[in-house]
Amino acid sequence: MKKIMTMAVLAVAFVPAAAQETYENAKIAIGDLNGTAAYVGMGGAMEALGGDISTISTNPAGIGLFRKSKASITLGTVSQQDATAFGGGHTTSMSFDQLGFVYSVESGRNGFVNFGFNYHKGRNFNYILSAANNLDHASQNKLTYAKQKNGLLYEANSKGEPYLNDPSVQCNQLDDLYAKYINYSADDNTWYYDEASQYSMDRRHWGYIADYDFNLSGNINDRVYLGLTIGYHDVHYKHYSEYAEQYPQFGNMTSIVADDRQINGGGADVKAGIIFRPVEYSPFRVGLSVSTPTWYDLTTDNRTSMTDNGGSVSTGEAYDFKLYTPWKFGVSLGHTVGDFLALGASYEYADYGTIDSRIITGENYSWWYDDYYDESESDNEMNRHTAATLKGVSTLKLGAEFRPSPELAVRFGYNYVSPVYNKDGFKDGTLASPGSYYSSATDYTNWESTNRITCGIGLKLDKVNLSAAYQYSMQNGYFAPFMSYMDNDFAADDNIADMVKVSNKRHQLLLTATYTF
């Protein structure tokens, strides 16, 4: 291993035509179960029951069941189980989860027109990932060597030196660091690699997606309820990681790759819903909902450094890109028994394999708005990878509320979310895509299904309702530090990294205060 003697900074040329990578995109596209304590306590299964402001983002027709104006605020805590603090982050944090109101106006004998606004935290990124395993003669820099060997990285210039900035080759930021400071020897124009015995990865994720929803809804003869919501999603995502490999052939020397990335921006979507009672004198309800993709305009930037033997080199990149999430479709059932029992069930489907990662190709002028806007096109190479890596996801939500008295409510809920990731998926660093060129990490995690168990309690005090809820979320996954590679010509160049099991188990407490006016 060549010793890195001095601090060097490599500036990868800014390229506006850039897109993002499948695994990073999925973090933005996937949402949490969050909202008021009443909504979470019932597992979110209120899309046909309505009457809770959190349905504004799942079935907008649920706001049409309001008969009085209400305002609510929700605070909470989120705690990660089986985790150790890292990178300045803690396993437990406070959270401002919801703030909104519904203004209800009577219209006719049995009709109401309602206007609603709601903020809620649609995604809480707070999570600490830790993974470690043995490496049997594999390493991250060996992957860079393999890419060079197969013509995906190295193209010699007229002097026989490595030329790494040609846009026709698949060189990412880590390849650039490894090739210039580890893998390539200019003295004898030779490429080589260093094998590692083990690795460890620690990464802190933090930030949130804030959802702002504006709703118009109403009912027809107190039997059909209609709603339309326009939403804006504000993204604030960050992560910091340290990936370490140990090299026994150099006295167990350790190299560390530190990566600091953030993604910011926003996106808009439109949601529509209907709730109807098929039998006139029965409280049984059926709900249908649809949500357009969220059309995101995002900016990402990072700083990545590599350290060994006391020296360090670094690189970084910043660029804009667009991301369109999948369509979502929902169907729900709701029923009440007297004034003491409410039952709800909801099903939602979204095909995350259809996520559209888009490359910004230029800027155009709109005479109508007297402003400039970005033009873009689909990143077909990355989108094919997304289609093979991510899947259609089914979400089942069940919930019940029991009222032993008019002032007291007890709630229970359950969620099952099918896996988003194909178990054979991997982060492919050889794609001819800007999402691969400007990647700063090789690791990936294929998360399995999610199970959520919820419960809650509500207390009515004249015009004030107080509610509390608890949610336990469980998800397992399999982590790999880099894609594995089999060399058909020379077995010693195989680079295999066995996946290791990781988990994400979270406890959430919510408190909601609602005022009726």
Side-chain angles (χ1 to χ4, degrees):
M1 173 172 284
K2 293 184 292 184
K3 184 176 181 180
I4 301 173
M5 297 297 295
T6 59
M7 173 68 75
V9 176
L10 307 175
V12 178
F14 176 80
V15 179
Q20 189 58 284
E21 180 272 331
T22 295
Y23 284 85
E24 291 293 312
N25 286 341
K27 295 176 184 177
I28 305 299
I30 297 170
D32 295 330
L33 172 66
N34 202 18
T36 66
Y39 180 79
V40 173
M42 284 191 66
M46 301 183 71
E47 282 71 34
L49 292 169
D52 188 280
I53 196 169
S54 290
T55 61
I56 196 172
S57 62
T58 53
N59 186 350
I63 306 301
L65 277 84
F66 277 77
R67 293 294 175 267
K68 296 181 179 180
S69 301
K70 294 185 178 182
S72 62
I73 184 172
T74 303
L75 303 175
T77 64
V78 176
S79 179
Q80 183 182 344
Q81 181 178 321
D82 302 328
T84 303
F86 168 77
H90 301 284
T91 58
T92 300
S93 60
M94 299 293 294
S95 181
F96 175 39
D97 292 286
Q98 181 272 328
L99 176 67
F101 70 89
V102 175
Y103 183 68
S104 184
V105 180
E106 190 171 359
S107 175
R109 182 177 178 182
N110 294 315
F112 287 82
V113 175
N114 297 331
F115 304 90
F117 164 78
N118 192 49
Y119 153 82
H120 90 282
K121 187 172 289 184
R123 187 83 159 103
N124 188 330
F125 291 115
N126 289 8
Y127 174 64
I128 296 173
L129 171 70
S130 296
N133 204 359
N134 293 326
L135 287 172
D136 185 15
H137 305 295
S139 67
Q140 195 177 64
N141 74 84
K142 194 174 179 179
L143 179 61
T144 298
Y145 172 87
K147 291 172 70 175
Q148 179 276 329
K149 182 178 179 180
N150 285 272
L152 298 177
L153 179 66
Y154 169 62
E155 290 188 359
N157 61 18
S158 58
K159 298 180 180 179
E161 299 170 339
Y163 185 62
L164 301 172
N165 295 321
D166 189 321
S168 66
V169 296
Q170 284 74 58
C171 173
N172 62 35
Q173 294 185 53
L174 282 175
D175 292 329
D176 197 43
L177 289 174
Y178 279 129
K180 289 181 176 178
Y181 293 95
I182 300 295
N183 292 105
Y184 178 72
S185 172
D187 295 335
D188 54 6
N189 191 28
T190 300
W191 287 79
Y192 63 99
Y193 55 80
D194 296 320
E195 298 175 335
S197 60
Q198 58 188 22
Y199 76 86
S200 65
M201 164 66 84
D202 292 288
R203 175 180 288 130
R204 174 197 173 201
H205 308 76
W206 72 101
Y208 58 91
I209 299 179
D211 294 346
Y212 301 91
D213 290 315
F214 302 84
N215 175 273
L216 174 64
S217 59
N219 75 74
I220 302 173
N221 296 324
D222 201 25
R223 188 172 174 185
V224 177
Y225 310 87
L226 303 170
L228 180 71
T229 295
I230 297 175
Y232 178 78
H233 307 261
D234 188 22
V235 178
H236 300 272
Y237 167 81
K238 295 181 180 181
H239 77 228
Y240 173 76
S241 65
E242 292 182 359
Y243 173 77
E245 289 183 338
Q246 194 172 81
Y247 302 97
Q249 66 272 35
F250 300 107
N252 287 327
M253 187 196 72
T254 300
S255 70
I256 298 175
V257 174
D259 184 51
D260 194 350
R261 177 175 291 276
Q262 61 181 355
I263 302 173
N264 296 286
D269 62 11
V270 179
K271 299 171 276 281
I274 181 172
I275 298 172
F276 60 92
R277 294 189 291 114
V279 180
E280 183 175 1
Y281 298 105
S282 171
F284 176 71
R285 303 163 192 166
V286 178
L288 300 172
S289 61
V290 61
S291 175
T292 68
T294 302
W295 300 288
Y296 279 115
D297 286 285
L298 301 169
T299 299
T300 181
D301 64 83
N302 78 289
R303 176 62 54 183
T304 303
S305 63
M306 181 177 63
T307 303
D308 68 62
N309 284 349
S312 180
V313 292
S314 63
T315 184
E317 178 59 58
Y319 58 84
D320 300 330
F321 67 101
K322 291 180 180 288
L323 172 66
Y324 297 168
T325 67
W327 286 81
K328 295 181 181 179
F329 304 91
V331 59
S332 52
L333 304 174
H335 187 61
T336 57
V337 179
D339 59 359
F340 65 89
L341 181 64
L343 302 172
S346 302
Y347 172 81
E348 182 182 85
Y349 180 81
D351 185 359
Y352 288 91
T354 64
I355 288 176
D356 186 10
S357 183
R358 301 184 65 83
I359 302 169
I360 295 177
T361 57
E363 194 174 58
N364 210 338
Y365 178 74
S366 170
W367 292 97
W368 181 264
Y369 294 103
D370 188 27
D371 199 4
Y372 288 91
Y373 65 92
D374 290 326
E375 291 185 327
S376 65
E377 63 182 23
S378 294
D379 182 351
N380 294 324
E381 183 78 1
M382 185 58 68
N383 288 345
R384 280 191 289 270
H385 177 262
T386 299
T389 304
L390 306 183
K391 303 195 294 185
V393 173
S394 296
T395 300
L396 175 65
K397 299 188 284 187
L398 303 173
E401 178 185 87
F402 174 64
R403 287 186 175 271
S405 71
E407 295 80 20
L408 181 64
V410 180
R411 306 176 179 107
F412 299 94
Y414 170 74
N415 281 190
Y416 171 78
V417 184
S418 66
V420 178
Y421 300 89
N422 188 319
K423 65 179 181 180
D424 297 322
F426 62 95
K427 181 180 286 188
D428 191 346
T430 68
L431 299 177
S433 161
S436 290
Y437 302 157
Y438 297 107
S439 176
S440 57
T442 59
D443 67 278
Y444 60 95
T445 305
N446 290 334
W447 292 103
E448 297 181 327
S449 60
T450 302
N451 288 272
R452 303 180 181 124
I453 300 171
T454 69
C455 61
I457 189 170
L459 183 63
K460 184 177 181 181
L461 304 170
D462 193 19
K463 292 185 176 183
V464 176
N465 280 270
L466 301 177
S467 294
Y470 166 74
Q471 176 183 182
Y472 179 51
S473 176
M474 303 166 286
Q475 188 179 32
N476 293 320
Y478 288 88
F479 171 90
F482 43 76
M483 62 179 287
S484 292
Y485 171 79
M486 298 288 291
D487 192 303
N488 295 325
D489 299 323
F490 190 48
D493 286 347
D494 291 351
N495 199 45
I496 309 300
D498 293 331
M499 303 188 82
V500 61
K501 189 174 182 179
V502 294
S503 68
N504 184 6
K505 299 176 182 178
R506 299 203 302 182
H507 304 267
Q508 182 183 25
L509 290 174
L510 293 168
L511 296 174
T512 299
T514 301
Y515 178 73
T516 302
F517 59 96

